[in-house]
Amino acid sequence: MAAIQPPRCAVLHTPAWSIAAAILHEPETFHVAQPLAVFHAQRVLSCSPLAWREGVRPGQRRRQAQGACPHLVIVPFNADRDARMYEPLVQSIGTLVPLIDVENPGSLLLATRGPSRYVGGDDALAVRLLTLAREGLSHANQGLNVDEVIAAGGGLGVGIADGRIAATLAARSSSRRGEPVVIQPGHEATATFLAPYAVKVLTAVAGCSPDLVDLLERLGLRQLGDIARLSVTDLVGRFGAIGETLHRLANGTDDTPPSTIPPPPDLTMSRVFDDPLLQLDMLVFAAKALTDELGAYFHERGQVCTRVQVEAESEHGESSQRVWYRAEGMRSATLLDRVRWQLDGWINGTEPPTAGVTLLRVTPIDIRSDAGTQVGFWGGRSEADDNATRAITRVIGLLGPQSVTVASWRGGRDPREVYEMVCFADIGSADSGGVGQQLVLRPDDDADAAEWPGSLPAPAPAVVHHDPLLVEVTDVHGRVVAVNGRGLVSATPTTLLQHGQSYRIVAWAGPWPVDERWWDQRARRAARFQLVIEQSDGQCAYLAEVAAGQWWLTAEYA
Amino acid sequence: MSSVRVSSLSPSLSGPLSEMALSEMALSEMTLARERLLPVHQTLAPLFGLNADDPTPLALTRGHTVACVGSAAMSCALAVLVAPTRAGSWAGVVGLPSCGVQAAADLGVALERTVFVADPTGGSRTSGQQGDAAAALSALVDGVDVLLLGQRVVSSLSTSLLRRLQTRVQSRGGVLVVVGEAKSLASSLSADVRLTATTQQWQGVGLGYGHLQRRQVLLQLDGRRRARTTEQQVWLPDHQGQLSPVEKAAENTGVVIPLRRVG
């Protein structure tokens, strides 16, 4: 197979940009000398090198992270802040290179052919890019030591190589080493550079599904070199169409993400404003109509947009032009985020337009079919789901994150334990830019909800008392009924006493003993009963429990 | 304010926003009668005067308030949630921390579209709390089709606030379901539909043997603009924890003989 030479690219990468952005944004609150970590949905998203040294790792739960580093300072996740703080850097590089691909705040890509010749070689370009980035940041944030801030964000890496994937990996290793990494042009050099990388990187840099990566690892293909050594025919034979893409990715001969398709030429959404707009809110509102329509277009076809160009033009002819890339694909909400970041950075940045914005244009560049994140049989989220998510997020804003919960199955013997209440705010995906991108937790299927040994047979009680009610159950002689160590009742229960009222027990079943967690402090030893009592308005059934000689009502079959 | 120059997808963007909003309002006025209804559980269909063979009986009028009372009120309220959540509507359960989630799941409530919200009033009637509660409830009404309120929430909201909530539910096209005691509910709000669920008998448990298996419940439905009270005998819950009708002929064949311990 003839190797296609992919375009030579440079990637500028800061691993924990959120940290750097937080320090730049609020220098009084966050300091370089503190161990910092950004949390989203109770998990570490990124952390500063200082926190890393203390044992904090991305993906950890908040409690684990604070356990590893008690004096950890928590930085709230804010994608808008990250984007706004990144803008000066992008603008500064924009003075040298006109069209920049911003993958996300903290990482950008540019084609090096022109700039490299202009500056005098790749090495010179790498140094130049670093200088420009530093200049841009220190110009916008005077009075701060930008180098220290960048170091807290994991360093600023620049990598130049053939193709996007090699360049990205080069930039990642450069940010660790602290010097530019330039891979020589040519197929050989690129393949040699890529070979030792673990296949896991394909998820992060090429948008391959984690399932595929898992499969590759289980097949013993742990490094990109392992894949590159296999023939295309074998890969296609085993994996189908994706096999060919894998081969190209592993060899560094292709940088288009798997299965992208060029969009129809007329899929450009634009909007002209007769009255120029200068306020960000109004512009974003107008942009929402565009991105919603694009989102609906993709949704209908089961596609997502992986690369998009956003342009805005002011009345005086100034313009802001940027390409945004997201390997996981963009839908309406994520698209709108990109537009907002760009407009925010432009209007509130160092060189704002001198007149109102008259034109907004969104052009999809790469589209691929939506493979990974589709939920529900009928394809994706319904309007009702979006409305509900929006409304619930508003309720969370009013009442606090603990107040809205959803049920998640976890199993157990006690009706109180079978479902766990999970905060709705915690189940949003970490990369969600806006509302509506959150995943809704779905309880496991019936197959997983296998019977727990010792659980109560169906039906389940409709009212569960999380604080059991203290009662008394007596026999005909008025003595409290007890259960002995062998699980036998002392007498037939006949009367239930609650709040000074006595009720006749017409039917009862039990005792069903439980002896749980005897190995730790949460040990529970009890005997359970079902009691049916006679009330003025009919029968009433309860789930009762005897523990340490006390009777409790734990649930009611209301 | 704006106009579209290049839009390859649809012409719906053209025209000022105010006009769009106006036409949308006009549209919402003339929605079809069928669209103003939410589905109910198949077993409940005869109560609403519908054919029991209809797989998706549409009987719950959007904007209505349904009060579930009686000794089986909680199960009855959960049974009302089943069909709408299965059909894609969202439900919000407010101020019912003791709601049996497993019972709801067994009945068939789609838990992935059900959110549980803590009592926004905090059980107090102070004005500050009331304001927060009103804002939270009206925000929730915007997003969910069925709002299930516990008695404690209803009694801690002021009457004017409750009426405003009902109006809001009407304008958003949701259904408000309240669960509690008949007397105290009747004093605080007026329900369009009242479902009284009375436990007739529990089956499956004897004196020291067996276990609760199913319960026969008499459901009675009355309400405004309804000529007579309709009633039906149902199993709520039945063996599987679901809602099913009591077949008159099969009543005797379905007797459960539980195991009892001997010796």
Side-chain angles (χ1 to χ4, degrees):
Chain A
M1 181 183 150
I4 313 150
Q5 193 77 10
R8 204 158 165 75
C9 308
V11 169
L12 213 64
H13 180 71
T14 308
W17 174 253
S18 294
I19 304 269
I23 300 175
L24 292 175
H25 188 235
E26 293 172 75
E28 317 84 47
T29 322
F30 305 113
H31 302 285
V32 180
Q34 293 167 327
L36 298 158
V38 178
F39 281 85
H40 184 73
Q42 308 291 331
R43 282 184 189 275
V44 179
L45 213 58
S46 53
C47 59
S48 67
L50 216 59
W52 179 279
R53 240 169 279 147
E54 301 265 356
V56 180
R57 296 287 179 275
Q60 266 177 345
R61 284 187 171 278
R62 188 185 179 128
R63 215 181 299 158
Q64 286 175 307
Q66 283 177 327
C69 174
H71 50 288
L72 185 70
V73 177
I74 289 161
V75 181
F77 172 72
N78 182 345
D80 292 352
R81 171 198 64 205
D82 298 353
R84 196 176 324 130
M85 291 293 124
Y86 202 55
E87 190 62 23
L89 187 151
V90 184
Q91 276 177 2
S92 171
I93 290 179
T95 57
L96 177 73
V97 191
L99 199 61
I100 301 165
D101 245 23
V102 181
E103 302 199 10
N104 49 47
S107 181
L108 62 82
L109 175 140
L110 43 99
T112 60
R113 215 173 69 124
S116 192
R117 282 187 195 165
Y118 176 73
V119 187
D122 286 340
D123 294 300
L125 176 68
V127 175
R128 189 72 209 275
L129 286 175
L130 283 176
T131 327
L132 278 173
R134 285 219 171 80
E135 272 173 12
L137 284 178
S138 36
H139 181 64
N141 305 284
Q142 272 153 11
L144 275 174
N145 186 342
V146 171
D147 286 336
E148 275 183 6
V149 176
I150 290 174
L156 186 63
V158 60
I160 300 180
D162 285 0
R164 192 176 56 81
I165 286 161
T168 309
L169 291 174
R172 286 173 167 226
S173 86
S174 153
S175 68
R176 276 191 295 274
R177 284 190 224 169
E179 55 185 25
V181 173
V182 178
I183 309 301
Q184 291 309 307
H187 178 237
E188 280 299 307
T190 315
T192 323
F193 170 70
L194 287 175
Y197 276 94
V199 285
K200 219 173 258 167
V201 298
L202 288 179
T203 350
V205 300
C208 287
S209 77
D211 289 346
L212 177 68
V213 169
D214 184 49
L215 177 64
L216 290 172
E217 280 178 345
R218 280 184 288 130
L219 289 172
L221 302 170
R222 297 215 158 76
Q223 295 174 336
L224 293 183
D226 296 339
I227 302 176
R229 265 192 294 280
L230 298 172
S231 78
V232 195
T233 341
D234 288 346
L235 280 167
V236 174
R238 179 63 181 79
F239 297 104
I242 190 87
E244 201 213 340
T245 317
L246 273 177
H247 184 262
R248 282 186 291 160
L249 289 173
N251 281 294
T253 49
D254 187 20
D255 65 332
T256 47
S259 63
T260 48
I261 28 180
D266 56 346
L267 190 64
T268 297
M269 303 295 301
S270 72
R271 196 140 201 206
V272 178
F273 308 109
D274 297 337
D275 299 326
L277 299 176
L278 241 182
Q279 272 150 315
L280 183 67
D281 293 351
M282 292 170 80
L283 271 170
V284 172
F285 185 73
K288 187 171 187 308
L290 297 182
T291 54
D292 276 356
E293 202 153 331
L294 269 177
Y297 173 89
F298 294 135
H299 182 83
E300 259 172 38
R301 288 159 182 75
Q303 295 171 331
V304 286
C305 176
T306 48
R307 194 190 297 268
V308 70
Q309 182 173 355
V310 181
E311 290 163 276
E313 222 174 85
S314 81
E315 208 178 5
H316 290 174
E318 295 128 323
S319 72
S320 159
Q321 200 183 54
R322 190 133 313 150
V323 175
W324 295 90
Y325 171 81
R326 187 167 186 256
E328 300 89 48
M330 293 175 274
R331 290 177 200 77
S332 57
T334 21
L335 271 172
L336 183 64
D337 278 343
R338 269 52 186 186
V339 178
R340 193 176 62 231
W341 294 346
Q342 181 173 336
L343 291 173
D344 190 5
W346 189 39
I347 291 175
N348 300 326
T350 42
E351 282 175 44
T354 51
V357 175
T358 50
L359 171 85
L360 199 61
R361 187 183 293 139
V362 181
T363 317
I365 299 173
D366 283 335
I367 297 175
R368 74 173 158 83
S369 56
D370 187 1
T373 48
Q374 207 150 332
V375 274
F377 184 67
W378 297 109
R381 304 171 57 86
S382 69
E383 200 182 332
D385 292 351
D386 285 338
N387 278 343
T389 318
R390 214 171 295 134
I392 292 160
T393 315
R394 169 124 179 78
V395 176
I396 291 172
L398 288 163
L399 298 178
Q402 305 295 322
S403 61
V404 183
T405 49
V406 289
S408 155
W409 189 87
R410 77 172 161 195
R413 289 179 187 86
D414 195 279
R416 281 169 291 185
E417 290 173 349
V418 178
Y419 278 89
E420 182 183 18
M421 303 313 282
V422 183
C423 287
F424 190 87
D426 285 356
I427 53 175
S429 63
D431 199 29
S432 74
V435 190
Q437 288 291 308
Q438 282 177 325
L439 295 168
V440 173
L441 191 82
R442 276 154 209 275
D444 299 312
D445 290 335
D446 288 347
D448 293 337
E451 282 280 302
W452 267 62
S455 65
L456 293 166
V463 171
V464 177
H465 300 299
H466 289 271
D467 296 316
L469 313 171
L470 185 62
V471 290
E472 231 169 72
V473 174
T474 57
D475 61 7
V476 254
H477 306 294
R479 284 176 307 211
V480 173
V481 176
V483 178
N484 69 11
R486 294 180 169 236
L488 295 171
V489 278
S490 63
T492 305
T494 54
T495 317
L496 175 80
L497 291 155
Q498 190 189 8
H499 301 309
Q501 298 260 9
S502 72
Y503 304 95
R504 195 167 68 84
I505 294 171
V506 291
W508 61 279
W512 300 304
V514 275
D515 191 359
E516 284 186 311
R517 298 203 184 95
W518 42 265
W519 55 88
D520 72 12
Q521 286 169 354
R522 292 171 299 165
R524 188 170 82 101
R525 197 177 148 87
R528 293 165 301 170
F529 284 85
Q530 281 176 338
L531 306 174
V532 182
I533 61 161
E534 193 77 50
Q535 271 183 342
S536 53
D537 57 342
Q539 289 183 342
C540 208
Y542 290 103
L543 181 67
E545 200 175 280
V546 201
Q550 295 271 25
W551 281 80
W552 305 88
L553 293 186
T554 53
E556 184 183 346
Y557 292 83
Chain B
M1 171 192 135
S2 54
S3 65
V4 172
R5 190 190 278 165
V6 193
S7 167
S8 62
L9 298 176
S10 90
S12 71
L13 269 177
S14 61
L17 281 167
S18 55
E19 263 179 40
M20 270 173 66
L22 269 178
S23 61
E24 215 169 81
M25 272 170 69
L27 271 177
S28 70
E29 297 276 311
M30 22 182 273
T31 43
L32 300 170
R34 222 178 137 74
E35 287 169 17
R36 300 282 303 158
L37 297 171
L38 281 175
V40 291
H41 195 285
Q42 206 175 349
T43 311
L44 299 178
L47 277 176
F48 289 89
L50 295 173
N51 192 348
D53 300 333
D54 189 351
T56 53
L58 291 165
L60 275 184
T61 313
R62 287 177 181 266
H64 271 189
T65 300
V66 181
C68 294
V69 296
S71 52
M74 192 65 211
S75 299
C76 175
L78 291 176
V80 173
L81 295 194
V82 172
T85 55
R86 285 218 165 164
S89 293
W90 281 66
V93 180
V94 182
L96 283 167
S98 59
C99 173
V101 180
Q102 201 188 354
D106 288 351
L107 268 170
V109 176
L111 289 180
E112 64 267 31
R113 278 186 290 277
T114 309
V115 287
F116 297 84
V117 182
D119 187 351
T121 62
S124 73
R125 287 193 85 143
T126 56
S127 58
Q129 285 278 11
Q130 293 264 315
D132 278 358
L137 285 174
S138 55
L140 197 58
V141 168
D142 284 348
V144 302
D145 277 343
V146 189
L147 192 62
L148 177 59
L149 291 187
Q151 167 137 29
R152 198 182 296 170
V153 183
V154 174
S155 53
S156 56
L157 287 174
S158 68
T159 324
S160 65
L161 215 56
L162 268 176
R163 195 161 305 133
R164 260 167 48 208
L165 182 65
Q166 277 181 300
T167 324
R168 179 103 183 167
V169 169
Q170 271 162 15
S171 68
R172 303 301 310 185
V175 169
L176 187 66
V177 182
V178 289
V179 55
E181 279 172 37
K183 260 184 230 162
S184 47
L185 280 184
S187 66
S188 44
L189 90 174
S190 62
D192 300 276
V193 177
R194 195 168 62 155
L195 270 169
T196 314
T198 320
T199 305
Q200 303 274 300
Q201 190 197 8
W202 269 102
Q203 286 190 354
V205 63
L207 286 169
Y209 57 90
H211 68 85
L212 293 172
Q213 294 204 349
R214 57 180 184 177
R215 169 174 62 173
Q216 192 172 355
V217 169
L218 174 68
L219 285 179
Q220 289 167 302
L221 184 144
D222 60 341
R224 268 189 253 162
R225 292 185 291 277
R226 274 177 204 275
R228 59 187 180 86
T229 304
T230 47
E231 57 177 56
Q232 204 197 356
Q233 297 279 358
V234 293
W235 296 117
L236 179 65
D238 66 5
H239 297 291
Q240 280 99 38
Q242 287 163 352
L243 169 65
S244 55
V246 175
E247 291 92 5
K248 290 209 170 56
E251 213 169 316
N252 286 330
T253 56
V255 169
V256 182
I257 303 163
L259 293 174
R260 65 188 301 174
R261 187 168 62 211
V262 289

